[in-house]
Amino acid sequence: MKNFHLLLVCVTLIFQSCKSDDCGDCFTPPHSFIFEIVDKASGENVFTNGTYESVDIEITDRLNDNEGIE
C-alpha cells in the first residue's frame, strides 16, 4: 500500500510538469516603487523646488555591507 501511494505521487508529479511556456505575452512585471520626498513645513517636493539634486541621494543595501544601489 505504501508503494502504491509513492507510485501515485510520482505519476501525478510527472503529469503535472509543464515544458511549454504558457506565459508568453501575458507576463505582467511587478509595479514600480514610487515615492516622493517632501518638505515637512511647505509640503513641496525637495527635488522640484531645488533644495536637493538627485545626485545628492545615495541608496545603500544595509544587508550587503552598505553596497551602493543604482
Side-chain angles (χ1 to χ4, degrees):
M1 186 70 170
K2 188 175 183 180
N3 289 337
F4 176 73
H5 287 291
L6 180 62
L7 180 63
L8 184 64
V9 169
C10 290
V11 169
T12 304
L13 290 175
I14 289 171
F15 285 115
Q16 287 190 358
S17 67
C18 179
K19 293 186 180 182
S20 65
D21 182 17
D22 291 335
C23 291
D25 294 333
C26 67
F27 175 71
T28 306
H31 293 286
S32 301
F33 181 72
I34 300 171
F35 62 94
E36 241 182 336
I37 301 175
V38 295
D39 185 340
K40 184 176 182 177
S42 67
E44 287 184 276
N45 186 315
V46 296
F47 296 108
T48 57
N49 72 6
T51 304
Y52 294 107
E53 297 293 322
S54 60
V55 294
D56 297 335
I57 303 284
E58 181 180 352
I59 300 172
T60 58
D61 182 0
R62 293 183 64 194
L63 298 175
N64 198 10
D65 297 327
N66 288 332
E67 182 179 316
I69 299 173
E70 288 193 32

